[in-house]
Amino acid sequence: MAEIKIDGKSYDTEKLSQEARNQLTNLQFVDQEIARARGHLAVLQTARQTYAQGLKEQLEKHSD
């Protein structure tokens, strides 16, 4: 028996209707995609900071 908790209430997934199980599968997929997107965003933000710092160093170097 697998159990999920939604809004503080527990549900036995084996007792859910097929439509509810489909919605749960969709929700889990979307949650995984959101997590993946957040990870990708973190990588892009780190790269942007690195590029911005490199640009700043180059501008300071050539403005002297």
Side-chain angles (χ1 to χ4, degrees):
M1 167 179 93
E3 189 174 275
I4 59 168
K5 192 174 264 192
I6 298 175
D7 295 333
K9 188 173 178 182
S10 296
Y11 299 89
D12 179 353
T13 58
E14 294 175 13
K15 293 181 180 178
L16 297 177
S17 68
Q18 184 60 49
E19 181 60 28
R21 278 184 268 160
N22 291 342
Q23 293 296 340
L24 177 59
T25 298
N26 293 337
L27 182 61
Q28 290 169 330
F29 171 77
V30 170
D31 284 345
Q32 290 171 353
E33 288 298 304
I34 289 170
R36 189 181 65 78
R38 284 183 176 148
H40 190 207
L41 179 58
V43 168
L44 293 173
Q45 288 173 326
T46 300
R48 186 185 189 288
Q49 290 172 343
T50 301
Y51 294 140
Q53 183 61 37
L55 175 59
K56 181 179 174 183
E57 290 170 4
Q58 289 299 312
L59 293 173
E60 290 173 354
K61 187 185 295 184
H62 292 292
S63 67
D64 292 338

